[in-house]
Amino acid sequence: MAFITLQSDCFNILFLLSLNLLSGSDVDSSAIFASICSVLGAGIAMGLGSIGSAVGEGMIAMNAVDSLGRQPKASGKIVRVMIISQAVTETASIFALVISLLLVFQG
């Protein structure tokens, strides 16, 4: 539900921006356009960064479960390596979050 609201708000902002550009009013449309681009760029950066991390973590968990099925006695070592690997994989998503926050709150 929140995504639909956000999507409609973005469309409303883009519609108002296009009306502003067509009417030739004195409002600084370049600042509005820059803020819209920064919000859209933040969304794209966070989306792509999250997809990569999610796929990587899923593959790590899949291989760990497969390894646990083959060698149940090595469960302690496998789980430890899995958690460390998932933490390393999550850094791409955290980096995307930092970039998106910089895009949204910069300037």
Side-chain angles (χ1 to χ4, degrees):
M1 191 66 164
F3 175 72
I4 295 172
T5 305
L6 179 65
Q7 186 179 11
S8 65
D9 288 344
C10 287
F11 285 133
N12 288 339
I13 290 171
L14 289 174
F15 178 71
L16 291 175
L17 177 66
S18 62
L19 283 179
N20 185 21
L21 291 174
L22 292 175
S23 67
S25 64
D26 293 335
V27 179
D28 187 17
S29 61
S30 63
I32 296 172
F33 183 71
S35 66
I36 289 172
C37 287
S38 68
V39 170
L40 290 176
I44 291 170
M46 197 62 222
L48 292 178
S50 298
I51 287 172
S53 293
V55 169
E57 288 179 13
M59 291 177 67
I60 290 169
M62 176 186 68
N63 290 330
V65 169
D66 186 39
S67 299
L68 284 172
R70 291 181 183 177
Q71 296 179 349
K73 291 183 180 180
S75 64
K77 188 174 183 179
I78 292 172
V79 170
R80 184 174 60 237
V81 170
M82 179 192 73
I83 290 174
I84 292 170
S85 301
Q86 285 186 341
V88 169
T89 306
E90 189 68 27
T91 58
S93 181
I94 294 170
F95 181 69
L97 175 66
V98 168
I99 295 298
S100 65
L101 288 175
L102 283 174
L103 283 172
V104 170
F105 293 115
Q106 189 71 23

